[in-house]
Amino acid sequence: MGQRHQLFVVARINGRYRQLGAIHHQWLYGHTALRRCLDTLKIFQDSANRSPIQQELVAASSKDDDFWLPGDESSASYNDEKNSHVPFPFIMTCLILGASFNLDGYYHGVSVEPYYMAFDEGDNNNGITIFDITDLTDVRYCFVDFYGMESEREVDLMTPLSARTYLEAYYEVDAANDEAGFLPLLESFQGRNLVTINALKETWPSGDWQGDDFVQDVEGDHPHDSSGTEPKDLAGDAPKYQVKSLRDQSMDNFLDVLLDPSQDTTALLVEAELLTDFIPRLRRRLYEQAATLTPSTTLLNLLHKALSRDVEVDLSPFNMLPVEHLSTLVEKLRHGTMRSLNLSNMTHITESDLEAILKAGHVGASTQVEETQPEPATTTMTQAPRSANITRIILLETPNISLDFVAKHLGGYDVYHSGLFRRALQLSLQLWRSYGREEPLPTLPFGGANIVSQLVWVGISSARSCDSQLRTADGHFDWSQMNYSDTVSDRFGRAEGLQYKNFLLDIPTPVGKTVQGLQRLMRYLSSADLTWAMNLPEAAARCLATTSTLGTAGESSCGLGPLSAVLHNDDGQNAPDRRGTGIGQMLQADRWAIILMYEAFDARDQDRLDEKFERLSALGNGQEGSGPLPAGTDVNKPTFKPQKRLRYALAKALPEVGSSTTRYLVTDVPGYIKHVLGDQGVQQTDRLNAWWASVSSAFYGAAGYYDDNDMDACLRMIYSDEGFGLTSKASQGTSSVEDAMERARIS
């Protein structure tokens, strides 16, 4: 069953088109396929994602011909390394997030396919979508029907289809009566190039592709890229000869002299800096000739001059530099505007080398520090000292730097590591191809101070929300009376009662990404249909991944980070946490948890909840209700009005020295920012607070900070020995834990 559709990513690598990844979508066609295509195009073209994508394209250019051949799918080796490998995990993350998720409430799971899967090997009845990411300033797309879609009208087979052509296969597009809003959607594709026939032929030469390299724009009226030329790949075709001006020739000759390590160019460099276009030209020349440059003191000075104004410092092309030179250069650049350091594809760098490079960029406490980390007490590295400015480190395709090292030592950074991105996707592919066979997922706890290490979901059904016996006199919940459904087989999000589930996060959570991720999660959960809450884990994984420390702090940002393997591979089929499980997942000292509390999560909307409330009121007054009530619903007249609402809090454990008890610091986002950054990150504090104030008021529905006085009682239930359901203890007056844990709040 389903409207099955596959999506592919291709690029021109070393002069030939190659396929980089594929996913399967079980329900994608018509206007939804266009919307998912458009979101994916935006992600691939977002400036915050450009550098990681380029690094994986560089890695692709180093692969031999055997790499691109299909794996052996015989029964004996169906799950061998090649079949379960995700070679370009950041590119795949872009594809998955664009195709499966939107902050306005859209979510549908997708499955990872082998990166070499042919265009016609998927279970399909609604065509395919193809993205060409050769040129990230001109990402191309097309739809293809390769055997006849289940649509209202037929389209040409085995040829690139525009957004309009694909849409018109399913609907009548009428400019005079556009109630469905198709015309604005089509306008979003205006001016976007289609993938060419030649690209399809090179990627899948066995296909019977039809037509020539003549593509049209989305309206289908005007030739668009009629030359049929392909975007230039990273290896680069030889540039066309151009006549240079006398000034350009003089500048080129001057740069040749500067890059000659045998020349003393100190005086020349001082004069050259007076020219307004010198630094851009020098920077461009250094990157163009990176592979042929010889390490020297002169080269280090030139690199410092060229890169000192860069926010994103990319040293990946200069892999000939020894570690000592890299350390010296980073130490110099820390005084500039550097916030991101790219060391990708440096296959010679070891973990100890990385330690040395990061220590060179460390300057201790400063008002410029964006996200502070305490200095290690000894020279033994248990947590990498933070650079004064660096918030993001890109370590794609660095095989000598392990994921365990990254988790242990780089938890305070926004880290881009191939293993971190691959972890969630490779496990997903293995589980899919083994037909749901569960495998244990190794934990990956990130080190560092003030890390958000847990996400806790507390869901209260509408029946429990309307039960007056579970409320105190002031309308708050009486957590000591709150019990689970007695049905042990209840799946997550299905019980007629209270549920909580604790997810241990396995991704880096610096403060900026945490705040952005929480905002996206609140927005999504407030707008999505969460009647059964089963999509919560994967939706949370996507919300936390759609953040970037370099992305625009706003709704239009498409910068991405890694998917949490814990969340991404939890499909909601598992039972929620129950009594006795809380103690094994206690918050560690100096760790934070995001608490999400959703009251009446199973009510379709507030109107439905109001109807249930009215029925209960009628029954309480002795009047006849409008129908049978759910089992377990209290029939006493409510003295309050329940709300379908989503609320959040950030909580931190504060163990008391010499005591077995723990109290909790509970706060909202501004309090969390203040606690983590303190007086060290004034600029970022002001920026994040201003951004949060501008977006938090726009949450859909009833959503906000959970500031009621019973949050501590809720936390004590979650993290106590027995979890919820302490009725017997409360009645015996033995809840000493509750008395010992006093509330602490940041004002």
Side-chain angles (χ1 to χ4, degrees):
M1 295 179 61
Q3 303 293 323
R4 299 173 295 279
H5 195 110
Q6 288 79 48
L7 301 94
F8 300 85
V9 183
V10 303
R12 198 168 187 226
I13 306 296
N14 295 333
R16 176 181 173 180
Y17 269 91
R18 301 290 192 179
Q19 180 179 325
L20 305 177
I23 61 174
H24 171 88
H25 197 302
Q26 188 68 12
W27 200 274
L28 188 64
Y29 72 100
H31 71 89
T32 305
L34 266 66
R35 299 183 195 280
R36 303 283 64 75
C37 175
L38 186 62
D39 281 355
T40 307
L41 288 169
K42 291 177 180 178
I43 288 174
F44 277 130
Q45 289 194 255
D46 193 282
S47 59
N49 299 325
R50 186 164 301 167
S51 182
I53 294 174
Q54 288 175 335
Q55 294 306 321
E56 293 197 337
L57 293 178
V58 169
S61 67
S62 67
K63 307 298 184 183
D64 58 25
D65 289 341
D66 289 342
F67 173 84
W68 304 106
L69 297 176
D72 181 6
E73 296 197 1
S74 64
S75 59
S77 59
Y78 193 60
N79 290 304
D80 67 13
E81 182 177 354
K82 187 166 190 175
N83 288 323
S84 60
H85 185 45
V86 183
F88 311 111
F90 185 84
I91 291 173
M92 284 297 293
T93 300
C94 294
L95 180 63
I96 288 170
L97 288 171
S100 66
F101 178 75
N102 183 279
L103 286 173
D104 291 328
Y106 177 83
Y107 168 77
H108 196 290
V110 297
S111 55
V112 179
E113 297 287 357
Y115 68 93
Y116 53 79
M117 186 181 81
F119 71 93
D120 58 353
E121 285 186 344
D123 184 9
N124 188 283
N125 55 359
N126 288 97
I128 61 177
T129 306
I130 302 166
F131 300 96
D132 178 357
I133 62 170
T134 303
D135 182 353
L136 294 177
T137 64
D138 177 28
V139 177
R140 305 185 179 202
Y141 82 97
C142 74
F143 300 96
V144 172
D145 181 3
F146 57 84
Y147 76 93
M149 303 184 299
E150 294 180 359
S151 56
E152 295 296 322
R153 283 165 289 279
E154 294 183 355
V155 296
D156 292 337
L157 301 180
M158 297 297 291
T159 193
L161 304 176
S162 69
R164 172 176 283 275
T165 303
Y166 184 84
L167 188 69
E168 289 179 338
Y170 292 91
Y171 318 99
E172 291 284 353
V173 180
D174 187 356
N177 183 21
D178 186 36
E179 294 182 0
F182 291 150
L183 292 181
L185 177 61
L186 290 175
E187 288 175 0
S188 300
F189 285 87
Q190 191 74 36
R192 292 188 180 273
N193 285 323
L194 295 187
V195 178
T196 63
I197 285 287
N198 184 56
L200 300 179
K201 289 178 179 178
E202 285 191 3
T203 306
W204 298 289
S206 61
D208 185 18
W209 301 102
Q210 303 296 313
D212 52 24
D213 278 326
F214 179 85
V215 296
Q216 296 180 334
D217 70 3
V218 69
E219 295 298 329
D221 297 328
H222 309 290
H224 199 69
D225 190 32
S226 59
S227 66
T229 58
E230 307 293 346
K232 187 167 63 175
D233 64 352
L234 283 178
D237 299 326
K240 295 181 179 179
Y241 177 76
Q242 296 178 343
V243 178
K244 295 183 178 181
S245 67
L246 182 60
R247 188 177 189 283
D248 288 341
Q249 295 181 39
S250 298
M251 181 62 76
D252 286 345
N253 294 334
F254 179 68
L255 291 175
D256 288 339
V257 174
L258 284 180
L259 293 174
D260 185 350
S262 64
Q263 301 289 329
D264 183 2
T265 59
T266 304
L268 292 176
L269 189 58
V270 172
E271 294 183 11
E273 289 185 78
L274 299 177
L275 302 175
T276 57
D277 61 342
F278 169 69
I279 294 298
R281 287 174 179 264
L282 172 62
R283 187 181 186 281
R284 183 166 56 250
R285 175 67 77 86
L286 287 170
Y287 278 103
E288 288 174 352
Q289 296 185 203
T292 62
L293 297 175
T294 301
S296 66
T297 302
T298 299
L299 177 59
L300 285 182
N301 290 334
L302 292 175
L303 284 170
H304 175 232
K305 294 292 185 183
L307 303 178
S308 61
R309 303 173 189 175
D310 285 10
V311 173
E312 300 182 49
V313 173
D314 182 7
L315 300 182
S316 62
F318 307 101
N319 54 17
M320 75 295 183
L321 292 177
V323 174
E324 294 78 10
H325 286 198
L326 288 171
S327 299
T328 300
L329 181 57
V330 171
E331 194 278 332
K332 290 176 176 289
L333 291 173
R334 68 175 173 79
H335 298 288
T337 58
M338 174 177 58
R339 289 180 57 201
S340 173
L341 177 62
N342 189 347
L343 301 174
S344 298
N345 285 293
M346 288 193 168
T347 57
H348 65 290
I349 288 184
T350 65
E351 293 171 355
S352 59
D353 294 337
L354 183 59
E355 289 184 42
I357 293 170
L358 295 180
K359 286 180 179 178
H362 179 59
V363 295
S366 167
T367 57
Q368 297 178 346
V369 174
E370 292 277 82
E371 294 171 7
T372 59
Q373 289 282 31
E375 181 79 72
T378 67
T379 56
T380 301
M381 183 176 178
T382 57
Q383 178 72 16
R386 292 296 309 274
S387 162
N389 297 321
I390 297 174
T391 61
R392 183 168 82 159
I393 302 177
I394 305 177
L395 298 170
L396 300 174
E397 302 299 327
T398 50
N400 294 325
I401 299 175
S402 68
L403 183 55
D404 288 340
F405 176 87
V406 168
K408 184 176 181 181
H409 301 299
L410 304 180
Y413 293 96
D414 183 10
V415 184
Y416 286 60
H417 183 273
S418 296
L420 188 58
F421 282 91
R422 185 174 291 122
R423 186 170 184 260
L425 307 185
Q426 192 153 310
L427 175 64
S428 177
L429 177 57
Q430 290 171 343
L431 292 177
W432 174 256
R433 294 174 68 81
S434 59
Y435 303 100
R437 175 172 51 86
E438 293 187 4
E439 297 181 3
L441 178 65
T443 59
L444 188 68
F446 274 79
N450 290 310
I451 296 299
V452 176
S453 61
Q454 298 181 24
L455 171 66
V456 180
W457 158 265
V458 181
I460 306 168
S461 70
S462 57
R464 293 295 186 266
S465 296
C466 293
D467 191 341
S468 61
Q469 293 186 359
L470 301 179
R471 299 276 185 165
T472 60
D474 57 6
H476 294 151
F477 287 107
D478 183 353
W479 297 108
S480 66
Q481 302 294 327
M482 192 72 73
N483 281 292
Y484 285 105
S485 166
D486 293 330
T487 306
V488 177
S489 61
D490 279 333
R491 292 183 299 177
F492 178 53
R494 293 279 186 178
E496 261 294 312
L498 177 143
Q499 297 186 346
Y500 76 96
K501 188 150 185 167
N502 195 341
F503 301 96
L504 301 180
L505 299 182
D506 54 349
I507 53 174
T509 54
V511 62
K513 287 176 66 69
T514 296
V515 172
Q516 289 186 46
L518 177 57
Q519 183 272 335
R520 282 153 170 74
L521 188 55
M522 292 290 288
R523 173 182 167 180
Y524 175 82
L525 295 178
S526 299
S527 59
D529 178 9
L530 268 187
T531 302
W532 297 114
M534 293 180 64
N535 293 336
L536 170 72
E538 291 191 67
R542 283 155 172 75
C543 289
L544 294 174
T546 54
T547 61
S548 171
T549 51
L550 295 183
T552 303
E555 298 300 300
S556 62
S557 173
C558 295
L560 302 184
L563 285 161
S564 162
V566 170
L567 294 170
H568 178 64
N569 292 286
D570 189 317
D571 60 3
Q573 299 297 318
N574 299 319
D577 293 338
R578 295 185 177 277
R579 304 183 190 95
T581 61
I583 192 65
Q585 299 178 350
M586 286 288 289
L587 271 176
Q588 300 176 11
D590 216 13
R591 293 291 188 272
W592 290 85
I594 296 173
I595 313 295
L596 294 175
M597 182 172 295
Y598 209 151
E599 297 178 39
F601 69 89
D602 58 340
R604 181 68 63 181
D605 50 42
Q606 185 64 43
D607 289 341
R608 302 287 182 90
L609 188 62
D610 289 343
E611 291 176 5
K612 180 175 286 189
F613 172 78
E614 292 173 1
R615 291 167 58 197
L616 290 172
S617 298
L619 287 172
N621 289 326
Q623 302 174 14
E624 183 177 357
S626 59
L629 295 172
T633 304
D634 180 52
V635 297
N636 294 324
K637 178 182 177 180
T639 57
F640 55 91
K641 183 176 180 179
Q643 287 183 280
K644 178 179 174 65
R645 58 180 176 176
L646 172 68
R647 291 181 285 173
Y648 83 93
L650 287 135
K652 179 180 180 179
L654 299 173
E656 296 184 353
V657 179
S659 173
S660 60
T661 62
T662 301
R663 60 191 182 95
Y664 295 94
L665 183 148
V666 181
T667 187
D668 58 1
V669 163
Y672 162 74
I673 294 171
K674 179 180 179 181
H675 183 86
V676 175
L677 296 181
D679 297 328
Q680 304 286 337
V682 176
Q683 294 178 359
Q684 191 187 22
T685 296
D686 293 343
R687 178 167 55 85
L688 286 175
N689 280 329
W691 178 77
W692 179 261
S694 69
V695 299
S696 60
S697 60
F699 290 146
Y700 302 150
Y705 169 51
Y706 187 73
D707 59 350
D708 291 343
N709 293 327
D710 56 349
M711 172 54 86
D712 278 346
C714 176
L715 290 174
R716 288 194 291 272
M717 295 298 183
I718 292 174
Y719 294 114
S720 71
D721 291 5
E722 299 186 19
F724 288 98
L726 299 181
T727 306
S728 59
K729 280 191 176 183
S731 63
Q732 297 170 11
T734 58
S735 61
S736 57
V737 174
E738 178 174 347
D739 297 334
M741 297 180 180
E742 61 180 301
R743 183 178 184 78
R745 182 182 302 280
I746 298 178
S747 58

